[in-house]
Amino acid sequence: MFKNLRKRWRAGIVAVAAVGLGLGAVVYTQGASAATWPSATGTVKLTASKAVSGTLDGGLKRYVGSGALGSDSQDEGQDPLFVLADGAVLKNVIIGSPAADGVHCKGSCTIQNVWWENVGEDAATFKGGSSAKYTVTGGGAKSADDKVFQHNGGGTLTISGFDVSNFGKLYRSCGNCSTQYKRTVVVKNVTVAAPGKTLVGINTNYGDTATLSGITITGDSSKKISICDRFTGNKTGAEPTKTGSGPDGTFCKYTTSNITYK
């Protein structure tokens, strides 16, 4: 009889522990990051920018800057870890710290399942012409003091299935580049975790548009993260003027139903 009681007591403890673990899992998925971040399969140190043409599959190795790429600062004008030629594909890469200026796309490019563990100056900068097509699919970025994705060239950037946390801006159309373009950004099925400042910033005077859907934001019950900010950009290098924020149907294209808070 006592043996059976002990068995029932132990079963009860296991059940309670399982419930506790289940509750913990729920809290975690609604916390800082909903994505499952991969573990690195190795580490590669880059002392100079790595040129990519065609496809580079990193096999989930962690790439970090070293030497001239190892300052881990927010200084403008740093060299990137990767330079993608027009049409190049970078996939299955973990970018560790120091990350320098991340990835530069010289033309159209695809960034697939790339994870920035600690964003340097920017995670990726897009520099193609007015017809360039850039896609960021899957992956994620953490700890971006300022911007995750910087759009200096023209064309269209599509960000989907991405996870971002602890950031300044997820996307910014350059507000004061010496050459300006009409830029388009599409952000869909992205998970955002506070703290953060702005999802997208665009320049209405150059005809920029941002279309957002399937955005899930966690840890921001007071809704401090701005979804879409509008600016008047310039070519002089001066700080651009903010003119508004929120959906307007013309430049910031989304509705409140496209944003879910958890």
Side-chain angles (χ1 to χ4, degrees), residues 2 69 71 77 80 88 98 107 114 116 122 126 154 161 180-181 197 207:
F2 291 110
L69 295 180
S71 67
V114 174
W116 287 265
D122 299 316
F126 303 95
Q180 289 286 24
Y181 299 86
K197 294 180 181 178

Side-chain angles (χ1 to χ4, degrees), residues 147-230:
K147 301 172 293 292
V148 176
F149 298 124
Q150 174 73 28
H151 197 165
N152 288 351
T156 300
L157 169 61
T158 301
I159 306 165
S160 63
F162 196 75
D163 183 86
V164 63
S165 60
N166 189 17
F167 63 101
K169 304 175 186 71
L170 174 61
Y171 168 90
R172 181 66 171 102
S173 172
C174 183
N176 54 14
C177 285
S178 57
T179 301
Q180 289 286 24
Y181 299 86
K182 177 187 183 297
R183 305 181 180 101
T184 301
V185 63
V186 177
V187 183
K188 56 185 179 181
N189 302 327
V190 167
T191 300
V192 180
K197 294 180 181 178
T198 304
L199 286 191
V200 299
I202 57 174
N203 307 309
T204 58
N205 57 316
Y206 297 121
D208 293 355
T209 61
T211 303
L212 299 97
S213 63
I215 309 299
T216 300
I217 301 177
T218 65
D220 187 29
S221 57
S222 58
K223 301 182 179 180
K224 291 183 178 179
I225 298 174
S226 181
I227 306 301
C228 185
D229 289 344
R230 298 184 293 276

Side-chain angles (χ1 to χ4, degrees), residues 2 5 33 58-59 66 72 93 111 117 121 134 137 140 142 146 151 158 160 166 179 185 189 208 219 234 250:
F2 291 110
L5 283 173
S33 177
S66 182
D72 199 23
V93 165
I111 298 175
E117 293 178 324
E121 184 184 345
Y134 325 94
T137 305
K142 298 177 181 178
D146 191 7
H151 197 165
T158 301
S160 63
N166 189 17
T179 301
V185 63
N189 302 327
D208 293 355
N234 63 74
T250 302

